[in-house]
Amino acid sequence: MGAILNRATADQRRAAAYAVEDLTAVLALADAKLPSLEVDWDFGRRTGCYLISLGAARTEQIERIIDLLRKGLRHEQAQQPADPR
């Protein structure tokens, strides 16, 4: 990666790494995990766009994550004010 591209993508690299760390930590708090979760550093070096690979996980882990997402969505929807129409 050239020096200019390296400087230009520093924030994206940092954000991708923090996102993986944060997601790993939140999932651990919920006793869930994505064992192959990682930043696709190679793709980022080639394109300047850092993708996060969720990887593979056992069905039980995905079901746990789906349950957490549903609960979070229900909570978020309950917090939104009613539409005054």
Side-chain angles (χ1 to χ4, degrees):
M1 178 182 315
I4 294 172
L5 182 58
N6 192 29
R7 283 193 303 275
T9 60
D11 288 338
Q12 289 98 330
R13 289 193 314 276
R14 194 173 308 111
Y18 288 150
V20 167
E21 288 176 14
D22 286 345
L23 181 54
T24 300
V26 168
L27 290 174
L29 288 172
D31 196 28
K33 62 183 171 181
L34 291 170
S36 302
L37 177 65
E38 64 183 2
V39 178
D40 187 342
W41 297 113
D42 291 332
F43 184 81
R45 278 191 287 277
R46 289 191 313 272
T47 65
C49 179
Y50 291 86
L51 302 178
I52 296 171
S53 175
L54 300 178
R58 292 188 338 245
T59 301
E60 298 83 26
Q61 290 297 316
I62 297 302
E63 289 171 344
R64 174 70 178 136
I65 293 167
I66 291 167
D67 183 51
L68 293 167
L69 289 169
R70 283 186 178 134
K71 288 177 181 176
L73 285 170
R74 281 194 296 267
H75 175 76
E76 184 178 84
Q77 290 169 346
Q79 300 302 311
Q80 294 176 354
D83 190 356
R85 289 189 234 177

